[in-house]
Amino acid sequence: MLILEFLVKRIAQGLLIVFITSLIIFTLLRVVPGDPVRLIVGGMAPPDVVEKVATKMGLRDPIIVQYGRYMSGLLQGDLGQSYLRPRSGMIAAGGQYVDPTKSDMALVTDLILERLPFTLQLGGMALLFALLISFPVGIAGGLHQHRWQNALAFGMQSLFVSIPNFWLAIVLILFLSIKLKLLPALGYQGFSYVILPALVLAVEIAPFIIRTLTTSLGEVMQAPFIDEARVRGLSRRRIVYSHALRNAAVPLVNLLGIQLSTLIGGVLVIEYIFDYPGLGNLTVVSVVGRDFPVIQGIAITTSAVFVFINIIVDLVAYLIDPRVEI
Amino acid sequence: MDLSLILEIDDLTVGATTPGAAPILDHISFRLSTSEIFGIYGESGAGKTVLSRALANWLPESLQYRAGRVAFAGHDILGAGAREVRVGRDIAYIGSKPQSALDPTVPVGVQIAEKLHSVRPEWNGRECRDRVMQLLGEVRIPSPKERYWDYPSKFSGGMMQRAMIVDAICAEPAVLIADNVTQPLDVTIAAQIVALLHDLCTRHKMATIYLSSSLPTLGQFGDRTAVLYQGRFVEQQPFDELLASPQSDYTRKAIASVPRMWETAEGPLARRQAQGEAPLMKVENVHRTYRARKRGTFNSHSNIQAVRGVTLDIMPRENFGIVGESGCGKSTLTRLLAWLETPDSGSIVLNGTSLGALSSRELIRKRNEFQLLLQDPYNALPPRTTVGRMIEESLLIRGSIKRADLRTRVIAEMAEVGLAAELYDQLPNALSTGERQRISIARALILDPKLLILDETLSALDQREQGRLIELFSKLQEKNDLTYVFISHDLAMVRKVCTRIAVMYLGEMVEIADNHDLFFDPQHPYTKALLSAAPTLEQKPFDPSDFLLEGEPPSPIDIPAGCSFASRCPKAFGRCRMETPALVEHSPGRFAACHLLDGDQAQAAA
């Protein structure tokens, strides 16, 4: 009952957030300089052609009218069509005139659905790697506050947090792919192409997980109920794994919700560097080409994913600790 | 070997791991047989907790065994026998902080069953669960099957201590160590726990070591009792003999320091009266209700009725006491009296001025007349401010005095409360509780108040310091015509200082009477219960077993219809559950809210 109430409330909230995000993105795209029509028709086209095409595309209507048109499409599940990408998959180049109002342009929904799984795979693998790195280090650091394990955790997190992701990406490509030929780096032709970019992203978020885990586990281990568990007859293993970790997990879960935004930001750069065919790559290309419908679609998708993950995070936090207000 | 001998302690010596430090436990030796209850008295710092931990092989990392033997049924648990004896199964422990003893994120019952299953792996999960549920019922936790799934935060202190008792006894230990188990609990709840523990120990044939800092509590068991002083047993005898003929000076002093409520010479417990006096503070039917969001609903709230229609007159130069157990609304009432919070309805009139009618500027001026002193002098003082600065602060706020005169004025005030003038420029870090409390007093007195509201001000102090402060209060009263309101749960203290006492239960006053009348001839059953449950070494003027309360106070969210005490009252009858009794003056100066008094009157009239 409580969970149902929570879900209804949070999903309503989430829809509002997505709506506001879309409005902001929509307005900003049209307010900032950079006319997509100029890019579509090419630099040589006379101004009256630009105006004609723009009017035909509806780009000269008041923003609120454009937004209304867009939203009514969105409610029917239609995110519009790309200005630049024809269905064939080629990108329209400057000189070659493709009429963006015609139906041979790719559907934004298709573009996103095609890329989203790749990004989710990358994000998921990055998170998995980050957890695999941080858990042993963080737990050991938390359990042995005054020993070398804690120093190791501290050193590792300081090192990781100071490495710029683009630099690490380039270094890893150089060594692991080019010199040692262990892993493929650029493009995507199979699962092994995920590993390198995921590792780079993992190094970016791991220090925060290590930090939170060491401090919160260290604090929980000082709690009276942990001390008392020993005299109640519980084994050390049980005390640590089913009580201490459980309590230390609450701040960690909340942190992961926030770290996700770092991950999304990181994906943009990393996908571009590795030429990984995910949403991040699509975003960069679309922003450069002023492909409004695609940018809007990606913004809406990422904000929806973000809202969804935060609902899950809060739900998990509540399931772990029933005192958490939801 | 005596078959019934279960625990042998020989020359147990425990000290800090740093070499050279004095031992905390010094050559402790005793024997314990099955089903015996062994009481150990020691004031705080005597080594009780270390002893109880040492017996369970559960010393903190900073301490170590230096010598001695702890043998459970012949196995030395510190050495070779450690494998045979399992802490949690054979030796169980109950501590004094039940609220923090369990993982807050797992239901209480589940944790107890988990413990049971891990120390008795031969019992399967289902058996463990059934046994825990059955035991939860046995310690009188209402609806144990539902409570099994509740989280620790949903349990009150008393309920949690019952659950911890279940946790300790579920694996059928042969030895139970109870370390100050009633210390954090209210007297009526503590009395229930003691009775329950006593009953369980005899029924389950557990040898029990009961450590307490309260001699009267140990008296409720009445068996062999040892006195622990600076890590040594100074004596060991049956409780009655201990009282009758203590062998050591320390014990004699400890017995003498137990406060007396009835066998005491009455102090100056009347206030100086004057002709035609008006009350200093008139509290008229004040209510305060808090709203809390109800979980599991969209936007409904539950109302927590903290104070429900309190009416009081506080006379000048009076020591007015307000007593009640935790959750009865004392703290809210204090905040209302100090005007930190405003009542939802009703009024408080101080010296003829209604506080609600004042503007905020006038209120600051008016606040000179009434000041609040808090319970915890550690949190009440800013740690990085000098003592002098703290005391002069309120004068500075009001800007009523020249800076040049400030220091003389503050030092005079410090002298009055017994603080050395050198402290003026010092920080409060190194000061004792008593000195800190004096700073608070000086800080309040510097405004020349008429009324001091003392919220558990004396509870944090030991007996001697408490005595000194009480003396100080009465001296100040003589000199400055002060009126005190003492809010406390400590009946002995209230007996010693208050002229008139109000008893509070669930947000209402159930009885108001003069000191002597309240203690010797209480009218309301709750007052009687409170007095019966108070741990003392005296013969009480009524039979405590008549008034041992069952259960806990109802929640201030769902206050039952009728008399709010009816659910626990041993004398409740039909009318009590229908109609709320009003607080009436049944004889001059004595008020009580109980239908039974009505009955007396009715009988007298007939």
Side-chain angles (χ1 to χ4, degrees):
Chain A
M1 179 55 221
L2 191 64
I3 291 175
L4 195 70
E5 172 209 346
F6 164 80
L7 284 179
V8 170
K9 214 152 59 180
R10 289 297 296 270
I11 289 171
Q13 259 175 27
L15 286 177
L16 188 70
I17 291 172
V18 173
F19 171 76
I20 293 172
T21 320
S22 70
L23 183 59
I24 293 172
I25 289 285
F26 197 89
T27 317
L28 281 181
L29 280 177
R30 280 154 183 77
V31 171
V32 295
D35 192 345
V37 185
R38 176 52 77 187
L39 292 170
I40 294 166
V41 297
M44 303 301 279
D48 62 309
V49 176
V50 173
E51 280 311 304
K52 228 169 79 188
V53 174
T55 317
K56 202 172 160 199
M57 286 167 70
L59 283 171
R60 291 296 178 265
D61 295 334
I63 289 175
I64 190 74
V65 175
Q66 294 184 41
Y67 185 66
R69 201 185 302 137
Y70 180 70
M71 281 317 268
S72 68
L74 183 63
L75 288 180
Q76 295 156 32
D78 177 15
L79 285 168
Q81 286 167 300
S82 167
Y83 290 168
L84 303 176
R85 291 166 186 266
R87 279 185 201 275
S88 58
M90 295 290 290
I91 294 187
Q96 175 191 0
Y97 179 66
V98 183
D99 187 351
T101 52
K102 288 236 177 96
S103 56
D104 56 352
M105 300 309 281
L107 286 173
V108 172
T109 324
D110 292 344
L111 282 175
I112 290 176
L113 285 182
E114 190 181 293
R115 302 295 191 104
L116 188 62
F118 288 105
T119 296
L120 290 182
Q121 184 186 9
L122 176 58
M125 286 307 290
L127 194 63
L128 182 70
F129 285 158
L131 292 177
L132 284 178
I133 300 169
S134 336
F135 259 71
V137 177
I139 291 174
L143 290 181
H144 309 281
Q145 288 283 316
H146 305 291
R147 304 251 300 275
W148 60 268
Q149 289 94 332
N150 196 312
L152 175 75
F154 188 78
M156 196 154 157
Q157 111 214 353
S158 312
L159 180 70
F160 281 6
V161 88
S162 347
I163 299 178
N165 56 9
F166 57 87
W167 178 85
L168 181 66
I170 294 166
V171 169
L172 287 183
I173 293 174
L174 253 174
F175 281 93
L176 294 184
S177 335
I178 299 176
K179 285 248 158 97
L180 300 174
K181 300 201 188 317
L182 282 178
L183 289 166
L186 303 182
Y188 188 89
Q189 280 156 28
F191 182 74
S192 57
Y193 285 78
V194 187
I195 297 174
L196 267 189
L199 264 181
V200 175
L201 284 172
V203 167
E204 197 175 348
I205 51 177
F208 301 97
I209 304 179
I210 296 177
R211 179 94 217 120
T212 314
L213 201 57
T214 357
T215 44
S216 71
L217 189 61
E219 252 166 55
V220 171
M221 287 307 288
Q222 301 295 318
F225 74 87
I226 293 292
D227 188 27
E228 199 139 321
R230 191 148 65 92
V231 81
R232 291 174 59 228
L234 299 188
S235 63
R236 167 94 179 161
R237 178 194 294 266
R238 195 170 258 284
I239 294 172
V240 170
Y241 290 100
S242 57
H243 293 289
L245 264 188
R246 187 187 168 91
N247 277 271
V250 178
L252 187 69
V253 168
N254 285 319
L255 175 93
L256 286 180
I258 300 164
Q259 278 301 305
L260 223 82
S261 58
T262 318
L263 202 60
I264 290 175
V267 159
L268 283 186
V269 180
I270 296 306
E271 284 189 358
Y272 195 65
I273 293 177
F274 285 93
D275 195 23
Y276 183 88
L279 272 188
N281 208 339
L282 181 66
T283 316
V284 177
V285 175
S286 307
V287 169
V288 171
R290 295 291 180 278
D291 197 346
F292 288 179
V294 179
I295 302 173
Q296 288 156 13
I298 291 171
I300 288 175
T301 314
T302 41
S303 70
V305 169
F306 197 71
V307 162
F308 174 73
I309 288 181
N310 273 288
I311 293 176
I312 300 286
V313 159
D314 285 357
L315 196 61
V316 169
Y318 170 75
L319 291 178
I320 295 176
D321 187 351
R323 291 169 304 170
V324 171
E325 275 292 328
I326 59 170
Chain B
M1 197 175 89
D2 185 354
L3 271 181
S4 63
L5 193 65
I6 187 78
L7 201 62
E8 300 159 80
I9 314 295
D10 291 308
D11 276 338
L12 184 65
T13 304
V14 171
T17 40
T18 44
I24 294 170
L25 294 179
D26 200 359
H27 297 285
I28 300 279
S29 302
F30 64 89
R31 297 275 180 281
L32 193 66
S33 321
T34 35
S35 358
E36 189 189 10
I37 298 181
F38 179 43
I40 298 177
Y41 166 78
E43 57 190 4
S44 57
K48 284 193 310 294
T49 299
V50 174
L51 176 58
S52 61
R53 293 181 71 130
L55 296 180
N57 195 5
W58 181 48
L59 285 180
E61 271 170 37
S62 54
L63 299 180
Q64 65 181 10
Y65 294 98
R66 291 195 181 156
R69 197 173 78 104
V70 177
F72 174 88
H75 306 285
D76 183 359
I77 67 167
L78 307 181
R83 210 172 267 278
E84 313 288 327
V85 184
R86 183 145 186 196
V87 171
R89 182 187 64 192
D90 302 317
I91 299 178
Y93 171 91
I94 312 173
S96 60
K97 297 190 186 72
Q99 298 285 48
S100 57
L102 289 184
D103 184 344
T105 65
V106 180
V108 170
V110 174
Q111 291 192 61
I112 301 177
E114 177 199 13
K115 170 230 156 109
L116 184 54
H117 188 59
S118 62
V119 297
R120 294 249 181 230
E122 66 273 22
W123 297 351
N124 70 32
R126 216 198 141 67
E127 279 170 352
C128 290
R129 170 150 46 113
D130 292 345
R131 177 164 170 80
V132 171
M133 282 184 179
Q134 180 229 326
L135 282 172
L136 286 175
E138 206 175 306
V139 299
R140 276 176 244 126
I141 287 181
S143 45
K145 288 209 166 54
E146 285 79 49
R147 295 298 267 173
Y148 181 94
W149 298 105
D150 266 347
Y151 290 90
S153 54
K154 299 262 169 165
F155 279 62
S156 67
M159 281 298 159
M160 201 62 214
Q161 197 58 289
R162 285 165 202 266
M164 292 317 293
I165 290 176
V166 171
D167 186 78
I169 67 171
C170 63
E172 294 177 340
V175 172
L176 179 68
I177 301 164
D179 179 16
N180 239 351
V181 289
T182 56
Q183 192 211 359
L185 305 176
D186 281 317
V187 283
T188 58
I189 306 295
Q192 295 173 18
I193 296 282
V194 169
L196 173 73
L197 209 51
H198 194 249
D199 174 50
L200 288 171
C201 294
T202 11
R203 220 142 34 85
H204 293 251
K205 298 201 170 38
M206 281 179 292
T208 303
I209 300 169
Y210 193 97
L211 302 103
S212 176
S213 52
S214 149
L215 271 174
T217 306
L218 291 172
Q220 283 163 296
F221 293 108
D223 290 354
R224 189 156 62 98
T225 307
V227 177
L228 185 67
Y229 175 58
Q230 294 186 340
R232 291 166 171 274
F233 276 169
V234 291
E235 65 183 281
Q236 245 186 86
Q237 16 178 350
F239 192 80
D240 294 335
E241 284 164 43
L242 186 83
L243 275 197
S245 55
Q247 300 296 307
S248 71
D249 270 353
Y250 175 73
T251 315
R252 246 187 299 280
K253 261 189 232 149
I255 294 170
S257 73
V258 174
R260 304 291 197 274
M261 282 192 232
W262 289 280
E263 299 160 4
T264 170
E266 309 248 332
L269 288 181
R271 87 191 158 89
R272 282 183 290 127
Q273 290 185 331
Q275 283 288 307
E277 272 178 322
L280 178 66
M281 184 181 251
K282 258 180 111 58
V283 179
E284 199 85 56
N285 200 20
V286 292
H287 285 262
R288 183 77 177 102
T289 302
Y290 297 105
R291 281 154 65 89
R293 210 176 73 84
K294 231 190 231 172
R295 293 188 95 172
T297 56
F298 278 88
N299 65 353
S300 62
H301 292 262
S302 42
N303 291 327
I304 302 164
Q305 304 179 45
V307 171
R308 306 186 292 144
V310 167
T311 300
L312 295 171
D313 283 344
I314 296 166
M315 304 302 285
R317 291 178 301 281
E318 177 170 53
N319 292 348
F320 191 85
I322 298 173
V323 293
E325 295 181 286
S326 44
C328 74
K330 286 194 309 271
S331 301
T332 307
L333 183 62
T334 311
R335 294 175 64 81
L336 292 175
L337 293 181
W339 210 254
L340 294 175
E341 251 173 73
T342 51
D344 296 328
S345 66
S347 69
I348 296 181
V349 177
L350 182 71
N351 234 345
T353 331
S354 172
L355 295 177
L358 295 177
S359 71
S360 55
R361 185 182 294 267
E362 290 167 325
L363 193 61
I364 291 185
R365 203 137 289 285
K366 190 76 181 167
R367 279 194 190 279
N368 289 0
E369 291 177 31
F370 64 110
Q371 286 287 310
L372 173 68
L373 291 184
L374 293 170
Q375 171 176 22
D376 181 357
Y378 287 87
N379 290 328
L381 302 181
R384 276 174 277 286
T385 310
T386 61
V387 172
R389 168 74 215 199
M390 266 186 256
I391 298 172
E392 65 204 23
E393 175 114 49
S394 42
L395 287 180
L396 289 173
I397 291 171
R398 287 161 176 84
S400 51
I401 187 164
K402 275 199 283 256
R403 276 189 173 267
D405 302 336
L406 214 52
R407 192 180 172 105
T408 8
R409 176 77 196 276
V410 169
I411 287 184
E413 203 59 67
M414 284 169 67
E416 183 148 35
V417 299
L419 286 172
E422 302 90 84
L423 291 177
Y424 186 90
D425 292 311
Q426 289 180 17
L427 293 179
N429 316 15
L431 299 186
S432 71
T433 320
E435 284 169 314
R436 282 164 177 268
Q437 208 53 281
R438 282 163 203 265
I439 297 176
S440 299
I441 298 169
R443 192 158 63 159
L445 281 181
I446 202 148
L447 294 169
D448 281 325
K450 296 263 175 299
L451 177 71
L452 281 186
I453 301 161
L454 302 114
D455 182 11
E456 304 271 10
T457 307
L458 299 171
S459 318
L461 304 170
D462 64 50
Q463 288 291 333
R464 281 203 8 237
E465 190 58 35
Q466 199 182 64
R468 280 193 221 122
L469 276 186
I470 290 173
E471 220 165 276
L472 173 67
F473 280 135
S474 76
K475 202 180 79 194
L476 294 169
Q477 183 164 47
E478 284 294 312
K479 198 164 152 245
N480 302 341
D481 259 4
L482 283 173
T483 304
Y484 296 117
V485 177
F486 289 92
I487 290 110
S488 183
H489 67 275
D490 181 353
L491 288 168
M493 192 280 289
V494 166
R495 166 72 176 138
K496 222 175 340 179
V497 281
C498 293
T499 46
R500 216 147 54 91
I501 297 157
V503 181
M504 202 168 176
Y505 185 78
L506 217 59
E508 291 179 317
M509 292 301 167
V510 295
E511 183 160 4
I512 304 177
D514 284 349
N515 188 316
H516 186 91
D517 292 337
L518 190 93
F519 278 89
F520 284 87
D521 187 21
Q523 298 299 318
H524 197 280
Y526 177 64
T527 314
K528 292 180 191 170
L530 208 54
L531 293 175
S532 320
T536 63
L537 294 174
E538 308 157 78
Q539 203 60 49
K540 290 183 177 158
F542 30 75
D543 183 5
S545 58
D546 261 8
F547 291 97
L548 184 62
L549 294 186
E550 284 293 326
E552 307 221 333
S555 143
I557 295 171
D558 313 295
I559 291 178
C563 175
S564 52
F565 186 57
S567 58
R568 298 170 84 199
C569 183
K571 303 251 186 293
F573 57 102
R575 189 176 160 201
C576 300
R577 294 196 175 78
M578 325 270 286
E579 192 186 326
T580 310
L583 186 68
V584 286
E585 189 167 14
H586 56 89
S587 57
R590 300 170 67 179
F591 299 80
C594 183
H595 288 314
L596 286 169
L597 294 169
D598 232 25
D600 288 350
Q601 279 167 358
Q603 272 171 12

